[in-house]
Amino acid sequence: MVEKQPRYKAYDHPAGGWGAAAATAKVLLEQSVVTKGSRALLAMNQPGGFKCPSCAFPDADCKKTLEFCENGAKALAHEATKFRVTREFFARHTVAELMEKSDYWLEMQGRLTEPMRYDAASDTYVPCSWDEAFALIGKHLRALDTPHEAEFYTSGRTPNEAAFLYSIFVRQFGTNNFPDCSNMCHEPTSRGLPPAIGVGKGTVVLEDFEHAEAIFVIGHNTGTNAPRMMTNLVEARKRGVPIVAVNPMPERALIRFTEPQDLVQMATFGSTPIASEFVHIRIGGDLALLKGMMKVMFEREEKGETILDHDFLRQHTAGMEAVRDEVMALDWVDIVAASGIEEAQIRRCAEIYIRSKATIICYGMGLTQHQQGSRLLQQVAGLLLLKGNYGKPGAGISPIRGHSNVQGDRTVGIDERPTQAYLDRVRDVFGFEPPRGYGHHTVESVEAMLDGTAKVFIGMGGNFVRAVPDTDIAYAAMRKLSLSVGIATKLNRGHLVHGRDALILPVIARSERIETARGEQFVTIEDSMSNVTASRGVLAPASPDLKPEVEIVCRMAMAALPDSQIPWESYIDDYDLIRDKIAAVYPEIYADFSERIKEPRGFHLDVAPRRLVWLTPNGKANFLPLPGLDVNDRVDDPAMLRLATVRSHDQFNTTIYSYNDRYRGVYNDRMILFMNKEDRIARGLETGARIALETISGEGMRRRVDALTIIDYPMPRGAVAGYYPELNPLLPLDYYDRMSGTPAAKSIPVRVVAV
Ligand SMILES: Nc1nc2c(c(=O)[nH]1)N[C@H]1C(S)=C(S)[C@@H](COP(=O)(O)OP(=O)(O)OC[C@H]3O[C@@H](n4cnc5c(=O)[nH]c(N)nc54)[C@H](O)[C@@H]3O)O[C@H]1N2
Ligand SMILES: Nc1nc2c(c(=O)[nH]1)N[C@H]1C(S)=C(S)[C@@H](COP(=O)(O)OP(=O)(O)OC[C@H]3O[C@@H](n4cnc5c(=O)[nH]c(N)nc54)[C@H](O)[C@@H]3O)O[C@H]1N2
Ligand SMILES: [Mo]
């Protein structure tokens, strides 16, 4: 790393704007795909084109000719890169050598080109044919004592067709072991919301942003992780809609933003202020904020005002009284202490909420990744119920999902805890009896590998070992496997930390054409707002030896289940046949799939709360109290700091695009600890000091990351932040939300160790 610039220099420009335009041009140049990349960008998120492989935010209505953002361009440029990882590359580097390289270096080597098998004698990956690869997978799977000894991971880029077939294959094989990236991400949405509002999805569609009278953005770094949503925030703000941003980091784009696609703003160096209210919350302080807002409302009701939507509450909800009693018994002093927010600001937030006749609450990992993440989301759902913010334009709950098809994968069966009704459907449509018990979520799958009960790991995309908690333990777990398989576009650490046998299977990427014996095929994606759209790649595959994910799933099934009656072979060539089966398994939402998907803009899957229908056992929307003010276990250690592990502006999860984090003013380094100056001084440390962090945990195991540099940053007292995945060794495997299994990656109790 060359240190041409200082490591830290506050960024005082608006986010977006020319900085974003320049970054887009730079990444296309870096990957040597200026012409090819620019052509592909024109087809991204357009009817007849492909869906952006980056985030899950829906596309706007054809209003713009360019419907992508800086980070979408990075994702595409890295996918369309001209660099290649070939058999010569693998021959040149042993796996031990590759392990010494950084994640960034591995990513920059380019696209995988052909199937590779690990050869222990030379400690290298050597070429193997696709037939050999599938035979090896079949052999390992058939040799297991029970099907539960295999773990089938899914990352959220996998399209619906491949994910659906994968879920059927694995269930016919005999297990529900479906660890997936959602288990580390929006699982609290999938588990926490159903008992409250009957669905584990958002209830908002894009048009709602045009009708909202107030928007809350809680625990989400929008300008980096769902940049296309900035358009909606800018438009709302221009209409005078109050926007409340709740975050321990004053994320640049939530403060001021220039729309890179607004030519006037670009030409005049103008920008739009975004947050009308920035709430500088303590890590995990959101519960106290939400309760404080509720308390204001209940107090005013007690004084005789009509604040709540009583008709809605009477007709549609149950359990409000218990929440009211608990909230009214709370003391303002405690609410202020737990949130770190002055009572006056909490009252202002409540006032914004009370005045608005239609409110949207959006949230990201800042809410989900806590020990009580699921129950915290139930409080968000409850706050919205108080004013009837469902089933009307401009209102609702809006999880901002991560991976572009993570929600879709869930909808079509990637679920370690499937419902019995769904399993009955699978039995009736496919004619086999699926397993009925719960399978493993991500954390449980690592535990099973560790104790030797899991022997085969198949990774449908993703970078499992870098994404999961407790990096060192995860490495040890992977190395115990008899077979690990990485189905991927790019080389990553997950391929280097492997089982006794190991395969890397390269796939055709989202932006690339899929040609089969029946002609060109397209796949489908469900975005964060339940819109299903077709995605048709426009580029030639990176190598002639790649296969589509659908074919890989079918051939794994054929190898593992030679007696299966399911016509796997036919699905390889004709994706409409797969969509017909999806329609048969999910008739309520996917009826006539193959017809409806012909609409250029796709279709919206029914979300019952939009119709004021509550698919809960009592047929009502439920208030579900979470007593107290803590979403994480208390730690009695005066030296304790809460660590949030976050993404930089230049990464996509475990994929590192560069060592810069422009909006936070960080350059050439990722081993950074963002800390409040007072906290630093209280520890007798200089700014720029090198320190180590250690996790505080009762079980006596030492978790430590060295060589972090402190920078003074406007964090609340007691809160620090640093980058995922570098800090994952600090996140204990068993530190997770029990309801959803989601690791509490935003609230790790740590202490600073001077070195
Ligand atoms: N460019 C790009 N886009 C992406 C991704 C990417 O890595 N790069 N990843 C994709 C994926 S899989 C996901 S899940 C999403 C992730 O998108 P985000 O949800 O934005 O993810 P994070 O960067 O982890 O950070 C979340 C925010 O939560 C804040 N935060 C931390 N702790 C707390 C807290 O206790 N309370 C509150 N209110 N806020 C808190 C952090 O300061 C940060 O601003 O983005 C998706 N889109
Ligand atoms: N400490 C901490 N840990 C976290 C988080 C955090 O905030 N903090 N966030 C969590 C979250 S929200 C998530 S979603 C997970 C992410 O976990 P994963 O989804 O497992 O990780 P990614 O980095 O998105 O996976 C990147 C790899 O996917 C492969 N890939 C890319 N495109 C495709 C494709 O089209 N098909 C296939 N088959 N493969 C492809 C490439 O080889 C690439 O190297 O990490 C979680 N871990
Ligand atoms: Mo995610």
Side-chain angles (χ1 to χ4, degrees):
M1 249 182 291
V2 236
E3 279 203 34
K4 279 190 236 126
Q5 308 183 54
R7 193 176 279 127
Y8 176 64
K9 185 170 178 300
Y11 190 78
D12 46 16
H13 312 285
W18 287 104
T24 303
K26 179 164 172 280
V27 73
L28 292 172
L29 265 175
E30 250 170 29
Q31 300 297 325
S32 298
V33 287
V34 174
T35 324
K36 182 183 172 195
S38 310
R39 197 162 24 88
L41 281 173
L42 287 173
M44 192 146 95
N45 295 334
Q46 297 299 327
F50 62 98
K51 307 306 290 181
C52 178
S54 195
C55 77
F57 202 73
D59 336 319
D61 237 358
C62 248
K63 273 184 262 170
K64 296 210 170 75
T65 43
L66 297 177
E67 181 52 45
F68 66 90
C69 65
E70 172 193 342
N71 280 345
K74 282 179 203 156
L76 175 69
H78 279 246
E79 195 170 284
T81 178
K82 77 155 205 217
F83 303 111
R84 295 288 178 274
V85 171
T86 58
R87 56 173 72 185
E88 292 78 22
F89 168 91
F90 283 112
R92 272 200 307 275
H93 302 283
T94 63
V95 169
E97 274 168 43
L98 292 174
M99 269 308 276
E100 298 299 313
K101 305 288 189 187
S102 65
D103 292 332
Y104 171 74
W105 189 90
L106 295 175
E107 166 64 22
M108 294 303 271
Q109 301 316 302
R111 288 286 297 280
L112 296 162
T113 48
E114 61 180 321
M116 304 296 291
R117 178 179 59 76
Y118 180 67
D119 172 53
S122 60
D123 186 38
T124 58
Y125 274 96
V126 295
C128 79
S129 70
W130 281 100
D131 287 346
E132 269 176 79
F134 293 121
L136 187 67
I137 294 172
K139 187 183 99 184
H140 274 277
L141 287 176
R142 290 196 311 271
L144 296 176
D145 289 337
T146 93
H148 307 302
E149 290 176 346
E151 304 290 345
F152 296 89
Y153 181 67
T154 315
S155 166
R157 268 197 200 177
T158 299
N160 289 330
E161 290 71 12
F164 173 74
L165 288 184
Y166 193 48
S167 72
I168 300 301
F169 150 48
V170 172
R171 293 205 162 94
Q172 186 169 39
F173 179 66
T175 184
N176 288 317
N177 284 348
F178 284 108
D180 80 327
C181 73
S182 176
N183 293 151
M184 298 176 266
C185 180
H186 265 291
E187 195 73 351
T189 301
S190 307
R191 303 288 175 214
L193 294 189
I197 57 168
V199 293
K201 299 185 179 190
T203 67
V204 163
V205 298
L206 211 49
E207 292 81 75
D208 286 317
F209 282 85
E210 292 166 24
H211 303 288
E213 295 185 9
I215 300 172
F216 286 69
V217 182
I218 312 185
H220 188 255
N221 183 10
T222 313
T224 290
N225 294 325
R228 280 179 296 124
M229 177 173 155
M230 291 309 301
T231 307
N232 303 85
L233 295 184
V234 167
E235 279 171 9
R237 203 63 184 100
K238 285 181 179 163
R239 279 194 295 121
V241 172
I243 295 178
V244 181
V246 183
N247 204 306
M249 304 186 90
E251 306 289 19
R252 197 65 209 152
L254 294 173
I255 311 292
R256 278 201 93 80
F257 191 75
T258 302
E259 257 269 76
Q261 306 189 334
D262 178 335
L263 296 180
V264 176
Q265 233 180 31
M266 288 289 274
T268 58
F269 295 94
S271 65
T272 311
I274 302 298
S276 47
E277 197 70 55
F278 176 70
V279 183
H280 202 198
I281 197 87
R282 196 160 271 176
I283 288 180
D286 308 85
L287 179 62
L289 171 72
L290 296 171
K291 287 195 175 179
M293 289 170 62
M294 291 189 200
K295 191 173 167 75
V296 174
M297 298 169 74
F298 291 133
E299 278 173 0
R300 287 176 49 180
E301 279 274 330
E302 259 188 7
K303 289 192 188 126
E305 279 183 77
T306 304
I307 300 288
L308 310 179
D309 185 338
H310 291 281
D311 288 344
F312 181 92
L313 290 168
R314 209 173 314 108
Q315 259 185 33
H316 293 290
T317 72
M320 187 198 68
E321 295 72 18
V323 170
R324 184 188 54 210
D325 295 348
E326 203 266 333
V327 165
M328 287 304 280
L330 292 170
D331 208 320
W332 274 108
V333 177
D334 298 328
I335 292 176
V336 169
S339 60
I341 304 302
E342 299 284 333
E343 184 179 330
Q345 190 177 27
I346 300 180
R347 288 190 179 278
R348 282 203 304 279
C349 292
E351 192 60 39
I352 290 171
Y353 182 62
I354 289 168
R355 284 202 190 157
S356 155
K357 290 194 284 299
T359 301
I360 294 176
I361 303 186
C362 313
Y363 62 88
M365 298 296 100
L367 285 195
T368 63
Q369 293 176 334
H370 294 283
Q371 283 179 295
Q372 298 276 10
S374 301
R375 297 181 69 189
L376 178 58
L377 299 186
Q378 293 174 346
Q379 311 316 304
V380 176
L383 178 65
L384 287 166
L385 286 174
L386 288 177
K387 282 187 52 71
N389 276 309
Y390 295 93
K392 64 184 181 190
I397 192 163
S398 182
I400 308 301
R401 293 266 177 178
H403 264 298
S404 48
N405 197 42
V406 61
Q407 181 163 321
D409 290 347
R410 264 278 125 110
T411 304
V412 299
I414 303 301
D415 188 348
E416 75 280 4
R417 299 177 187 182
T419 64
Q420 297 304 317
Y422 156 80
L423 294 171
D424 289 346
R425 212 40 110 12
V426 169
R427 178 198 57 208
D428 297 345
V429 171
F430 285 99
F432 69 88
E433 186 54 56
R436 295 279 164 172
Y438 284 171
H440 293 156
H441 57 52
T442 292
V443 168
E444 289 164 339
S445 74
V446 179
E447 288 167 348
M449 291 178 211
L450 266 184
D451 69 22
T453 47
K455 300 193 169 74
V456 173
F457 172 87
I458 296 186
M460 178 56 93
N463 186 2
F464 187 79
V465 281
R466 288 303 270 164
V468 299
D470 247 339
T471 310
D472 301 337
I473 289 181
Y475 283 14
M478 284 300 273
R479 289 185 170 127
K480 287 185 158 187
L481 294 166
S482 55
L483 173 70
S484 59
V485 180
I487 301 167
T489 51
K490 290 285 193 72
L491 179 63
N492 66 43
R493 188 81 49 202
H495 309 137
L496 307 177
V497 182
H498 55 77
R500 230 176 9 265
D501 277 329
L503 290 166
I504 304 175
L505 304 182
V507 298
I508 293 184
R510 184 75 64 74
S511 54
E512 295 168 346
R513 273 191 302 276
I514 299 176
E515 296 278 356
T516 71
R518 301 290 300 269
E520 192 182 333
Q521 303 296 315
F522 66 89
V523 294
T524 62
I525 301 299
E526 177 187 343
D527 66 33
S528 206
M529 296 181 187
S530 307
N531 305 298
V532 179
T533 38
S535 177
R536 214 183 283 269
V538 297
L539 301 175
S543 144
D545 224 359
L546 307 182
K547 287 203 182 297
E549 285 156 300
V550 163
E551 178 171 348
I552 293 175
V553 173
C554 293
R555 304 251 331 242
M556 287 196 296
M558 288 153 72
L561 303 166
D563 301 327
S564 173
Q565 298 299 306
I566 296 172
W568 299 106
E569 190 114 37
S570 66
Y571 299 140
I572 294 178
D573 293 329
D574 188 347
Y575 293 9
D576 273 338
L577 298 179
I578 311 172
R579 286 185 278 272
D580 290 345
K581 290 295 176 196
I582 295 179
V585 174
Y586 305 96
E588 300 85 0
I589 50 173
Y590 266 121
D592 297 326
F593 191 3
S594 291
E595 268 312 299
R596 283 198 290 164
I597 198 63
K598 290 181 183 154
E599 277 296 309
R601 286 274 156 186
F603 57 93
H604 186 254
L605 294 180
D606 179 53
V607 177
R610 291 183 62 78
R611 296 182 280 115
L612 297 174
V613 171
W614 314 100
L615 304 173
T616 52
N618 61 356
K620 298 269 187 197
N622 291 302
F623 286 91
L624 300 164
L626 169 55
L629 295 167
D630 295 318
V631 284
N632 295 293
D633 295 345
R634 291 211 164 190
V635 176
D636 285 325
D637 183 333
M640 192 270 284
L641 294 163
R642 288 274 179 201
L643 168 71
T645 53
V646 299
R647 293 154 172 79
S648 78
H649 191 63
D650 261 10
Q651 76 183 83
F652 191 91
N653 298 339
T654 69
T655 299
I656 311 302
Y657 299 136
S658 91
Y659 287 88
N660 299 339
D661 190 2
R662 192 169 81 239
Y663 296 154
R664 298 195 186 111
V666 174
Y667 299 94
N668 296 320
D669 199 357
R670 289 179 52 86
M671 295 302 279
I672 290 288
L673 189 67
F674 298 91
M675 192 189 270
N676 180 294
K677 191 174 168 185
E678 304 295 319
D679 279 329
R680 172 178 63 73
I681 294 170
R683 284 166 179 73
L685 297 163
E686 297 291 319
T687 182
R690 284 284 171 117
I691 52 106
L693 276 187
E694 275 183 12
T695 307
I696 301 174
S697 66
E699 21 129 299
M701 179 173 153
R702 200 166 85 142
R703 293 183 178 83
R704 177 179 167 120
V705 170
D706 281 296
L708 288 162
T709 301
I710 296 186
I711 59 177
D712 288 345
Y713 201 77
M715 300 295 297
R717 287 299 301 268
V720 287
Y723 296 119
Y724 141 68
E726 286 81 351
L727 297 183
N728 284 33
L730 295 171
L731 177 54
L733 192 59
D734 68 352
Y735 188 68
Y736 63 89
D737 173 25
R738 295 297 165 206
M739 195 179 275
S740 67
T742 303
K746 292 292 183 275
S747 59
I748 312 172
V750 292
R751 77 166 74 83
V752 170
V753 184
V755 285

